Amino acid sequence: MPINEKPNPSVMRRIVDYVLSQWFIAGLGLAVGLAAAFPKVGMTRGSIRAEWTIKYGCIGLIFLITGLSLSTEALIKQAKNYRLHIVTQLISFVGFSAVVYGIVAIIRASHTSKIDPVALAGIILMSILPTTVASNIAMTRNAGGNVEAATIEVCIGNTLGTFITPLLLSMYLQVRDGWGFIQPKAESGNGLTAIYKHMGQQLSITLFAPLIVGQIVQNIWKAQTKKYREMLRLNIVGQVLLLIVIWSTFCNKFATHAFEAITHESVILICFMGVGLYAFFTAVCLFFARLPFLGEEEEGEASWKRILRKLRFDKGETTAICFCAAAKGEGVLGIQKFESKESSSPIGLVLGAPLVSILYGGYDERTQAIMSTPIALYQTTQVLLAQLSVKIFKHWIESNPPRGDVESAPQVAENGDRSSTASEEVPPTEKKPNGP
């Protein structure tokens, strides 16, 4: 063997390396296992007061890290990208919920007694939620996609969801269609004005404020921010924080015995629907973002093709759309009631509990637990599938763009220092354009 030739790694070594590269999936399993074993630790009002430490601390830190990593110019550019907003939010709110409602209608038409009707209503509630707050940004970053685009869509989606989610819920769960048993019913004393006010407060505190602070810091001390961002491996820290958020979510589910209140058949249905829905809407996002039927650009092609070609998104934006539009989460919509010291009636609101507790606070705990189970199960499914698809998107983004892709090189030049992904994820010897 030549002196300079490195020996091929053994099969066992390759297996170990692969397992280590999938540490997030292992961490996800560990988070769920710890939540099942010690649910009172990370539950709301539990040992670590998760309604403050997790809902404010962890999520706030995730967006602070995001703010420290993004290019302000690119962020402003994506904020003006109305096509990105229209495609992402229409698929997320309208397309997703319409497909889910059709599936639920077919299941109800079968008159099966094995599927809990409240669970079906919970599936509809899951479908009209905005995109999740943290995981889609982390996955977009790991895949080398456009993190600015993902961040903007998270902000817009959760802001719109504050108003759109209750409206869509009332539209889908019509009494005349047999949904009278599960109409939204909040406890007395909390009007919509108070709910919207506190939703706005939590959006400001956990999302907008840390994002703005991060932007200010990295624009004032750009070199120092980049140095410490790489030194402290903030990209990895953000993923660990995401696992902590997931752990806390499952602590609440296990503490309220949510999975025990629902039939096994309902759980199996929700899990299979989750896998199918995430895969289907990822494909839908790819289709509408890339318009693959156009093929490669040809001389003398029809004018309608040239027009549509200009509407295609680049690969980085397409990745962000896929991770955002197919994801669902309670986001920052959560609010929890607390008892006033001066009165036994719930007159105040503490931010951080699931949206179910707002819209269905007037129902018993079992009903609320069943309604929230599809949300928890789909969140786990989407994180797992997103993590598995990161390498696929990363390989696609780093591959040479096909002939006919437009404006590919400018984006990399513009976003070259936009995040830790640029320095940690993309091989330094390879500067390939990020084609549309």
Side-chain angles (χ1 to χ4, degrees):
M1 181 185 295
I3 298 177
N4 295 330
E5 185 178 343
K6 294 183 179 180
N8 292 326
S10 64
V11 175
M12 183 58 67
R13 180 60 186 175
R14 283 189 297 229
I15 293 175
V16 171
D17 289 343
Y18 177 78
V19 171
L20 291 177
S21 68
Q22 300 299 319
W23 67 269
F24 187 88
I25 295 178
L28 180 61
L30 179 62
V32 175
L34 289 175
F38 312 102
K40 293 185 178 180
V41 177
M43 64 179 289
T44 301
R45 296 182 179 177
S47 303
I48 63 171
R49 304 295 294 183
E51 67 271 20
W52 301 106
T53 57
I54 304 298
K55 298 297 182 180
Y56 283 103
C58 284
I59 294 179
L61 282 174
I62 287 173
F63 276 93
L64 176 62
I65 291 173
T66 301
L68 291 171
S69 305
L70 302 184
S71 161
T72 303
E73 293 79 7
L75 198 61
I76 294 174
K77 176 183 176 181
Q78 292 302 331
K80 298 177 180 178
N81 191 346
Y82 68 91
R83 291 191 301 113
L84 178 74
H85 311 326
I86 292 174
V87 171
T88 305
Q89 303 308 327
L90 278 180
I91 294 176
S92 177
F93 285 109
V94 180
F96 200 109
S97 62
V99 170
V100 168
Y101 185 78
I103 296 173
V104 169
I106 294 173
I107 296 172
R108 293 186 72 207
S110 68
H111 301 291
T112 178
S113 60
K114 295 182 178 180
I115 306 299
D116 195 315
V118 178
L120 293 177
I123 294 174
I124 293 177
L125 175 60
M126 175 273 294
S127 73
I128 59 178
L129 291 175
T131 185
T132 187
V133 170
S135 64
N136 41 22
I137 294 178
M139 300 306 172
T140 302
R141 178 184 292 112
N142 293 341
N146 194 311
V147 188
E148 292 83 5
T151 303
I152 289 297
E153 295 315 305
V154 166
C155 296
I156 292 176
N158 279 271
T159 302
L160 290 177
T162 303
F163 306 96
I164 292 179
T165 295
L167 294 176
L168 287 175
L169 188 64
S170 62
M171 182 182 76
Y172 284 125
L173 299 185
Q174 294 283 341
V175 175
R176 68 172 182 269
D177 295 330
W179 293 105
F181 67 95
I182 198 64
Q183 289 296 297
K185 182 172 63 175
E187 291 190 47
S188 59
N190 295 318
L192 283 177
T193 302
I195 290 176
Y196 288 148
K197 174 184 176 182
H198 284 79
M199 284 180 176
Q201 287 178 353
Q202 188 169 357
L203 278 169
S204 300
I205 295 172
T206 63
L207 197 159
F208 293 115
L211 185 65
I212 293 173
V213 169
Q215 285 286 284
I216 293 174
V217 170
Q218 71 109 349
N219 276 286
I220 296 178
W221 299 285
K222 185 165 290 187
Q224 295 92 326
T225 300
K226 182 179 180 181
K227 173 185 175 182
Y228 285 106
R229 189 178 66 218
E230 297 176 359
M231 181 188 301
L232 299 175
R233 301 299 295 268
L234 292 185
N235 182 32
I236 303 298
V237 172
Q239 294 181 69
V240 173
L241 291 172
L242 174 58
L243 287 175
I244 294 174
V245 173
I246 294 172
W247 163 72
S248 177
T249 299
F250 273 90
C251 282
N252 279 312
K253 303 307 176 187
F254 285 115
T256 57
H257 306 285
F259 300 113
E260 299 174 15
I262 192 172
T263 63
H264 294 161
E265 291 83 359
S266 298
V267 172
I268 294 172
L269 171 69
I270 294 168
C271 290
F272 275 99
M273 278 189 65
V275 173
L277 286 169
Y278 191 86
F280 174 75
F281 278 101
T282 299
V284 169
C285 292
L286 279 170
F287 180 84
F288 283 102
R290 296 291 294 171
L291 303 177
F293 60 86
L294 293 176
E296 295 186 3
E297 186 175 5
E298 300 176 354
E299 293 184 8
E301 66 179 5
S303 57
W304 66 268
K305 280 192 173 184
R306 290 197 299 270
I307 295 173
L308 287 180
R309 201 176 298 281
K310 294 179 180 180
L311 299 178
R312 296 172 75 182
F313 294 94
D314 62 47
K315 290 184 177 181
E317 292 170 342
T318 299
T319 301
I321 292 172
C322 290
F323 282 123
C324 289
K328 293 291 177 179
E330 293 165 338
V332 292
L333 290 172
I335 302 178
Q336 180 178 0
K337 301 180 294 296
F338 68 88
E339 301 293 330
S340 169
K341 294 182 179 179
E342 301 176 357
S343 172
S344 59
S345 62
I347 61 172
L349 295 171
V350 177
L351 306 176
L355 179 62
V356 175
S357 66
I358 307 170
L359 299 175
Y360 291 93
Y363 289 85
D364 57 81
E365 290 185 0
R366 179 184 178 277
T367 301
Q368 293 187 47
I370 296 175
M371 285 290 293
S372 64
T373 299
I375 302 172
L377 291 176
Y378 186 77
Q379 286 175 336
T380 307
T381 301
Q382 73 189 15
V383 171
L384 180 61
L385 294 179
Q387 178 65 21
L388 293 174
S389 63
V390 160
K391 285 193 173 182
I392 298 175
F393 278 103
K394 183 176 176 60
H395 175 75
W396 177 59
I397 289 175
E398 293 177 354
S399 63
N400 289 322
R403 186 168 62 90
D405 270 2
V406 294
E407 298 180 1
S408 57
Q411 176 161 333
V412 171
E414 183 179 24
N415 295 346
D417 189 36
R418 70 171 187 240
S419 70
S420 57
T421 305
S423 58
E424 295 176 13
E425 299 291 342
V426 179
T429 58
E430 223 174 292
K431 290 292 183 181
K432 294 182 179 180
N434 196 27

